[in-house]
Protein backbone atom coordinates (compact mmCIF):
# COMPACT_ATOMS: atom_id res chain seq x y z
CA UNK A 1 0.00 0.00 0.00
CA UNK A 2 2.86 2.37 0.83
CA UNK A 3 4.46 1.77 -2.59
CA UNK A 4 1.15 2.57 -4.26
CA UNK A 5 0.88 5.88 -2.37
CA UNK A 6 4.48 6.76 -3.25
CA UNK A 7 3.86 5.99 -6.93
CA UNK A 8 0.74 8.13 -6.87
CA UNK A 9 2.65 11.07 -5.39
CA UNK A 10 5.39 10.74 -7.99
CA UNK A 11 2.83 10.68 -10.81
CA UNK A 12 1.20 13.75 -9.37
CA UNK A 13 4.60 15.43 -9.24
CA UNK A 14 5.21 14.54 -12.87
CA UNK A 15 1.98 16.25 -13.85
CA UNK A 16 3.02 19.44 -12.06
CA UNK A 17 6.68 19.61 -13.13
CA UNK A 18 7.40 23.19 -14.23
CA UNK A 19 9.24 24.13 -17.42
CA UNK A 20 13.03 24.67 -17.39
CA UNK A 21 14.06 27.02 -14.60
CA UNK A 22 14.81 30.62 -15.57
CA UNK A 23 14.84 33.96 -13.74
CA UNK A 24 11.50 34.82 -15.32
CA UNK A 25 9.88 31.85 -13.56
CA UNK A 26 10.69 33.42 -10.19
CA UNK A 27 8.22 36.25 -10.79
CA UNK A 28 5.59 34.39 -12.80
CA UNK A 29 4.79 31.71 -10.22
CA UNK A 30 4.02 33.74 -7.11
CA UNK A 31 1.95 31.93 -4.49
CA UNK A 32 0.53 33.80 -1.48
CA UNK A 33 -1.55 30.99 0.03
CA UNK A 34 1.10 29.36 2.24
CA UNK A 35 1.36 29.57 6.01
CA UNK A 36 4.69 31.38 5.75
CA UNK A 37 3.16 34.06 3.50
CA UNK A 38 0.55 34.76 6.21
CA UNK A 39 3.27 34.90 8.86
CA UNK A 40 5.32 37.36 6.80
CA UNK A 41 2.36 39.70 6.28
CA UNK A 42 1.47 39.69 9.98
CA UNK A 43 5.09 40.23 11.06
CA UNK A 44 5.55 43.15 8.64
CA UNK A 45 2.27 44.78 9.74
CA UNK A 46 3.11 44.50 13.45
CA UNK A 47 6.63 45.84 13.00
CA UNK A 48 5.55 48.82 10.90
CA UNK A 49 2.73 49.57 13.34
CA UNK A 50 5.25 49.65 16.19
CA UNK A 51 7.47 52.07 14.27
CA UNK A 52 4.40 54.24 13.56
CA UNK A 53 3.53 54.29 17.27
CA UNK A 54 7.03 55.49 18.13
CA UNK A 55 6.88 58.29 15.56
CA UNK A 56 3.50 59.39 16.90
CA UNK A 57 5.08 59.79 20.33
CA UNK A 58 7.97 61.73 18.85
CA UNK A 59 10.50 58.95 19.55
CA UNK A 60 13.25 58.03 17.12
CA UNK A 61 13.66 54.59 15.56
CA UNK A 62 16.64 54.02 13.23
CA UNK A 63 15.56 53.65 9.62
CA UNK A 64 18.25 51.05 9.06
CA UNK A 65 16.59 48.68 11.51
CA UNK A 66 13.27 48.95 9.69
CA UNK A 67 14.93 48.30 6.33
CA UNK A 68 16.86 45.34 7.77
CA UNK A 69 13.79 43.67 9.29
CA UNK A 70 11.18 44.32 6.60
CA UNK A 71 13.25 44.32 3.40
CA UNK A 72 16.28 42.26 4.35
CA UNK A 73 14.67 39.76 6.71
CA UNK A 74 11.03 39.32 5.71
CA UNK A 75 11.77 40.29 2.10
CA UNK A 76 14.46 37.66 1.61
CA UNK A 77 12.26 34.97 3.18
CA UNK A 78 9.37 35.97 0.91
CA UNK A 79 11.67 35.82 -2.11
CA UNK A 80 12.29 32.10 -1.61
CA UNK A 81 8.92 31.00 -0.21
CA UNK A 82 6.20 32.76 -2.22
CA UNK A 83 7.85 33.10 -5.64
CA UNK A 84 8.94 30.72 -8.35
CA UNK A 85 11.79 29.52 -6.14
CA UNK A 86 9.20 27.84 -3.95
CA UNK A 87 7.62 26.30 -7.04
CA UNK A 88 10.95 24.70 -8.02
CA UNK A 89 12.26 23.69 -4.58
CA UNK A 90 10.91 20.13 -4.92
CA UNK A 91 12.00 19.90 -8.56
CA UNK A 92 15.63 21.02 -8.36
CA UNK A 93 17.93 20.31 -5.43
CA UNK A 94 20.01 23.34 -6.39
CA UNK A 95 17.01 25.65 -6.01
CA UNK A 96 16.25 24.04 -2.67
CA UNK A 97 19.80 24.82 -1.53
CA UNK A 98 19.35 28.49 -2.38
CA UNK A 99 16.16 28.44 -0.36
CA UNK A 100 17.94 26.66 2.49
CA UNK A 101 20.72 29.26 2.64
CA UNK A 102 18.30 32.19 2.68
CA UNK A 103 15.94 30.72 5.27
CA UNK A 104 18.65 29.52 7.65
CA UNK A 105 21.22 32.32 7.28
CA UNK A 106 20.33 35.43 5.29
CA UNK A 107 16.83 35.99 6.65
CA UNK A 108 17.67 35.41 10.35
CA UNK A 109 20.68 37.75 10.18
CA UNK A 110 18.56 40.66 8.94
CA UNK A 111 15.73 39.83 11.34
CA UNK A 112 18.20 40.04 14.24
CA UNK A 113 19.54 43.39 13.01
CA UNK A 114 15.97 44.74 12.97
CA UNK A 115 15.73 44.45 16.81
CA UNK A 116 12.02 43.53 16.96
CA UNK A 117 12.15 42.68 20.69
CA UNK A 118 13.50 46.15 21.48
CA UNK A 119 10.75 47.68 19.36
CA UNK A 120 8.12 45.67 21.23
CA UNK A 121 9.51 46.75 24.60
CA UNK A 122 9.31 50.39 23.57
CA UNK A 123 5.75 50.26 22.27
CA UNK A 124 3.86 47.71 24.37
CA UNK A 125 2.13 48.60 27.66
CA UNK A 126 3.86 47.82 30.95
CA UNK A 127 2.15 44.48 31.60
CA UNK A 128 2.85 43.24 28.07
CA UNK A 129 6.49 44.28 28.39
CA UNK A 130 6.79 42.13 31.50
CA UNK A 131 5.41 39.16 29.57
CA UNK A 132 7.92 39.67 26.74
CA UNK A 133 10.85 39.95 29.15
CA UNK A 134 9.65 36.88 31.05
CA UNK A 135 9.62 34.86 27.81
CA UNK A 136 12.99 36.15 26.60
CA UNK A 137 14.68 35.41 29.94
CA UNK A 138 12.87 32.14 30.66
CA UNK A 139 14.73 28.88 31.23
CA UNK A 140 13.99 27.35 27.80
CA UNK A 141 14.94 30.58 26.02
CA UNK A 142 18.22 30.78 27.95
CA UNK A 143 19.01 27.19 27.04
CA UNK A 144 18.15 27.42 23.33
CA UNK A 145 19.92 30.77 22.83
CA UNK A 146 23.06 29.73 24.68
CA UNK A 147 25.64 30.10 21.90
CA UNK A 148 27.10 26.60 22.14
CA UNK A 149 23.66 24.96 22.20
CA UNK A 150 22.41 27.08 19.30
CA UNK A 151 25.67 26.36 17.43
CA UNK A 152 25.18 22.61 17.84
CA UNK A 153 21.58 22.76 16.61
CA UNK A 154 22.52 24.98 13.67
CA UNK A 155 25.38 22.71 12.55
CA UNK A 156 23.63 19.38 13.09
CA UNK A 157 20.40 20.45 11.40
CA UNK A 158 21.45 20.04 7.70
CA UNK A 159 23.40 16.82 8.33
CA UNK A 160 20.36 15.20 9.95
CA UNK A 161 18.09 16.46 7.18
CA UNK A 162 20.12 15.42 4.14
CA UNK A 163 21.77 12.21 5.30
CA UNK A 164 18.68 10.51 6.68
CA UNK A 165 15.35 9.66 5.12
CA UNK A 166 13.87 12.91 6.45
CA UNK A 167 14.60 14.93 3.32
CA UNK A 168 12.78 12.39 1.13
CA UNK A 169 9.74 12.71 3.40
CA UNK A 170 9.74 16.51 3.11
CA UNK A 171 9.51 16.17 -0.66
CA UNK A 172 6.51 13.87 -0.41
CA UNK A 173 4.52 15.64 2.33
CA UNK A 174 3.53 19.28 1.90
CA UNK A 175 2.92 19.89 5.62
CA UNK A 176 6.37 18.55 6.53
CA UNK A 177 7.87 20.61 3.73
CA UNK A 178 6.37 23.80 5.24
CA UNK A 179 7.46 22.77 8.73
CA UNK A 180 11.08 22.37 7.58
CA UNK A 181 10.99 25.91 6.20
CA UNK A 182 9.90 27.23 9.58
CA UNK A 183 12.49 25.03 11.26
CA UNK A 184 15.24 26.56 9.12
CA UNK A 185 14.16 30.07 10.14
CA UNK A 186 13.91 29.24 13.85
CA UNK A 187 17.27 27.49 14.08
CA UNK A 188 18.92 30.35 12.18
CA UNK A 189 17.41 32.90 14.56
CA UNK A 190 18.54 30.92 17.61
CA UNK A 191 22.12 30.97 16.30
CA UNK A 192 22.43 34.49 14.93
CA UNK A 193 20.28 36.48 17.37
CA UNK A 194 22.66 36.18 20.38
CA UNK A 195 25.67 36.81 18.13
CA UNK A 196 24.52 39.68 15.91
CA UNK A 197 21.19 40.80 17.36
CA UNK A 198 20.63 44.17 19.01
CA UNK A 199 17.91 43.01 21.42
CA UNK A 200 18.40 42.58 25.20
CA UNK A 201 18.85 38.80 25.13
CA UNK A 202 20.52 36.57 27.73
CA UNK A 203 23.75 34.69 27.07
CA UNK A 204 25.44 37.66 25.41
CA UNK A 205 29.05 36.64 24.83
CA UNK A 206 31.91 39.15 24.38
CA UNK A 207 32.77 40.00 20.80
CA UNK A 208 35.96 37.90 20.53
CA UNK A 209 34.05 34.76 21.57
CA UNK A 210 31.25 35.53 19.10
CA UNK A 211 33.75 35.98 16.28
CA UNK A 212 35.43 32.68 17.15
CA UNK A 213 32.10 30.84 17.07
CA UNK A 214 31.31 32.26 13.64
CA UNK A 215 34.71 31.24 12.29
CA UNK A 216 34.16 27.72 13.60
CA UNK A 217 30.89 27.44 11.66
CA UNK A 218 32.59 27.95 8.28
CA UNK A 219 34.27 24.51 7.93
CA UNK A 220 31.00 22.69 8.52
CA UNK A 221 29.37 24.30 5.48
CA UNK A 222 32.45 23.45 3.44
CA UNK A 223 32.40 19.81 4.54
CA UNK A 224 28.66 19.51 3.92
CA UNK A 225 28.87 21.10 0.47
CA UNK A 226 31.82 18.99 -0.65
CA UNK A 227 30.19 15.82 0.68
CA UNK A 228 27.03 16.49 -1.32
CA UNK A 229 29.04 17.32 -4.45
CA UNK A 230 31.10 14.13 -4.29
CA UNK A 231 28.36 11.79 -3.11
CA UNK A 232 27.28 9.07 -5.53
CA UNK A 233 24.00 8.67 -3.64
CA UNK A 234 21.25 11.03 -4.69
CA UNK A 235 19.63 13.10 -1.97
CA UNK A 236 15.91 12.42 -1.87
CA UNK A 237 16.32 8.85 -3.11
CA UNK A 238 14.21 8.16 -6.19
CA UNK A 239 12.30 11.43 -6.06
CA UNK A 240 14.31 13.44 -8.58
CA UNK A 241 14.94 10.58 -11.08
CA UNK A 242 11.21 9.80 -11.12
CA UNK A 243 10.46 13.35 -12.26
CA UNK A 244 12.08 12.45 -15.62
CA UNK A 245 13.27 15.98 -16.32
CA UNK A 246 14.65 16.38 -19.83
CA UNK A 247 16.52 19.62 -19.23
CA UNK A 248 18.73 18.58 -16.28
CA UNK A 249 20.01 15.39 -14.68
CA UNK A 250 19.72 14.77 -10.92
CA UNK A 251 23.45 14.03 -10.67
CA UNK A 252 24.58 17.32 -12.23
CA UNK A 253 22.00 19.27 -10.25
CA UNK A 254 23.26 17.72 -7.00
CA UNK A 255 26.79 18.83 -7.83
CA UNK A 256 25.47 22.35 -8.40
CA UNK A 257 23.56 22.19 -5.12
CA UNK A 258 26.67 21.18 -3.18
CA UNK A 259 28.63 24.02 -4.77
CA UNK A 260 25.92 26.51 -3.80
CA UNK A 261 26.00 25.30 -0.21
CA UNK A 262 29.80 25.43 -0.08
CA UNK A 263 30.32 28.82 -1.70
CA UNK A 264 27.16 30.38 -0.30
CA UNK A 265 27.98 29.25 3.23
CA UNK A 266 31.44 30.81 3.10
CA UNK A 267 30.11 34.03 1.54
CA UNK A 268 27.42 34.46 4.20
CA UNK A 269 29.86 33.54 6.98
CA UNK A 270 32.39 36.15 5.85
CA UNK A 271 29.61 38.74 5.54
CA UNK A 272 28.23 38.09 9.01
CA UNK A 273 31.77 38.16 10.42
CA UNK A 274 32.21 41.59 8.83
CA UNK A 275 28.95 42.76 10.43
CA UNK A 276 30.15 41.50 13.79
CA UNK A 277 33.50 43.29 13.48
CA UNK A 278 31.69 46.51 12.55
CA UNK A 279 29.47 46.16 15.62
CA UNK A 280 32.57 45.51 17.70
CA UNK A 281 34.24 48.71 16.45
CA UNK A 282 31.14 50.81 17.08
CA UNK A 283 30.75 49.37 20.56
CA UNK A 284 34.40 50.19 21.31
CA UNK A 285 33.89 53.76 20.08
CA UNK A 286 30.81 54.19 22.27
CA UNK A 287 32.70 52.78 25.26
CA UNK A 288 35.62 55.18 24.61
CA UNK A 289 33.23 58.15 24.44
CA UNK A 290 31.55 57.04 27.66
CA UNK A 291 34.91 56.82 29.42
CA UNK A 292 35.92 60.27 28.09
CA UNK A 293 32.69 61.80 29.40
CA UNK A 294 33.23 60.17 32.80
CA UNK A 295 36.81 61.51 32.96
CA UNK A 296 35.65 65.00 31.94
CA UNK A 297 33.04 64.99 34.71
CA UNK A 298 35.64 63.82 37.22
CA UNK A 299 38.09 66.56 36.21
CA UNK A 300 35.35 69.20 36.42
CA UNK A 301 34.37 68.04 39.90
CA UNK A 302 37.99 68.03 41.06
CA UNK A 303 38.53 71.53 39.66
CA UNK A 304 35.40 72.83 41.38
CA UNK A 305 36.47 71.25 44.67
CA UNK A 306 39.95 72.80 44.39
CA UNK A 307 38.46 76.25 43.66
CA UNK A 308 36.14 75.99 46.64
CA UNK A 309 39.10 75.09 48.91
CA UNK A 310 41.29 77.97 47.65
CA UNK A 311 38.60 80.70 48.13
CA UNK A 312 37.09 80.64 51.65
CA UNK A 313 33.58 82.05 52.21
CA UNK A 314 33.23 85.67 53.51
CA UNK A 315 32.18 84.50 56.97
CA UNK A 316 35.40 82.52 57.38
CA UNK A 317 37.81 85.52 57.15
CA UNK A 318 40.47 85.84 59.87
CA UNK A 319 40.95 88.91 62.17
CA UNK A 320 43.97 90.04 60.19
CA UNK A 321 41.94 89.88 56.98
CA UNK A 322 39.24 91.96 58.65
CA UNK A 323 41.80 94.50 59.91
CA UNK A 324 43.34 94.89 56.50
CA UNK A 325 39.92 95.39 54.96
CA UNK A 326 39.17 98.08 57.58
CA UNK A 327 42.41 99.99 56.85
CA UNK A 328 41.64 99.89 53.15
CA UNK A 329 38.18 101.32 53.72
CA UNK A 330 39.56 104.21 55.89
CA UNK A 331 42.10 105.07 53.24
CA UNK A 332 39.46 105.09 50.54
CA UNK A 333 37.24 107.41 52.65
CA UNK A 334 40.11 109.87 53.25
CA UNK A 335 40.95 110.06 49.57
CA UNK A 336 37.32 110.65 48.65
CA UNK A 337 37.05 113.54 51.17
CA UNK A 338 40.19 115.21 49.89
CA UNK A 339 39.06 115.02 46.29
CA UNK A 340 35.68 116.49 47.21
CA UNK A 341 37.23 119.48 49.05
CA UNK A 342 39.57 120.23 46.16
CA UNK A 343 36.80 120.19 43.55
CA UNK A 344 35.91 123.78 42.32
CA UNK A 345 32.43 124.99 43.07
CA UNK A 346 30.04 125.92 40.28
CA UNK A 347 27.76 129.01 40.15
CA UNK A 348 24.81 126.93 41.09
CA UNK A 349 26.55 125.81 44.28
Amino acid sequence: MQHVETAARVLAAEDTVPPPFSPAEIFTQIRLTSLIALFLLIAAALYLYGVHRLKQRGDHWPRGRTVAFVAGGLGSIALVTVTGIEAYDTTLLSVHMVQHMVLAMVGPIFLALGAPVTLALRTLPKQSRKVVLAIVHSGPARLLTFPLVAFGIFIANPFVLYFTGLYRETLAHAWLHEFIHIHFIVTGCLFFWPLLGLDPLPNRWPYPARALLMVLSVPFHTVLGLTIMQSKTLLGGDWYPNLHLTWVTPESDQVTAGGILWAGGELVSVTMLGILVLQWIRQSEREAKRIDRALDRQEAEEAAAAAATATPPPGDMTDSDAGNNGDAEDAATKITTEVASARPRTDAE
Side-chain angles (χ1 to χ4, degrees), residues 175-190:
W175 68 269
L176 186 57
H177 190 72
E178 293 285 343
F179 175 79
I180 287 297
H181 289 172
I182 298 175
H183 178 72
F184 279 149
I185 298 172
V186 172
T187 55
C189 288
L190 290 176

Side-chain angles (χ1 to χ4, degrees), residues 24-40:
E25 297 295 332
I26 298 176
F27 305 101
T28 57
Q29 299 197 40
I30 296 177
R31 183 171 61 95
L32 301 176
T33 57
S34 64
L35 181 63
I36 290 185
L38 178 62
F39 162 76
L40 295 175

Side-chain angles (χ1 to χ4, degrees), residues 88-135:
Y88 280 84
D89 71 340
T90 57
T91 305
L92 293 173
L93 181 62
S94 57
V95 172
H96 165 81
M97 283 302 174
V98 173
Q99 188 182 61
H100 174 173
M101 297 296 299
V102 173
L103 294 179
M105 301 185 71
V106 178
I109 289 175
F110 283 105
L111 291 178
L113 295 176
V117 176
T118 301
L119 179 62
L121 293 176
R122 292 183 60 181
T123 55
L124 291 174
K126 183 177 180 180
Q127 193 60 35
S128 299
R129 289 199 300 269
K130 291 182 178 179
V131 174
V132 172
L133 288 174
I135 295 174

Side-chain angles (χ1 to χ4, degrees), residues 39 42-44 46-51 54 61-62 64-66 68-70 73-74 107-124 129 132-133 136 189 193 196-201 204:
F39 162 76
I42 294 176
L46 291 176
Y47 191 94
L48 293 176
Y49 177 70
V51 175
L54 284 182
W61 183 255
R65 294 185 183 181
T66 304
F69 188 86
V70 177
L74 300 180
I109 289 175
F110 283 105
L111 291 178
L113 295 176
V117 176
T118 301
L119 179 62
L121 293 176
R122 292 183 60 181
T123 55
L124 291 174
R129 289 199 300 269
V132 172
L133 288 174
V136 170
C189 288
W193 223 291
L196 296 174
L198 307 175
D199 290 318
L201 300 178
R204 186 76 72 178

Side-chain angles (χ1 to χ4, degrees), residues 55 69 94 103 160 193 214 228 243 259 302 305 321:
K55 290 184 178 180
F69 188 86
S94 57
L103 294 179
V160 173
W193 223 291
M214 287 190 176
I228 292 175
L243 294 179
E302 292 176 352
D321 292 336

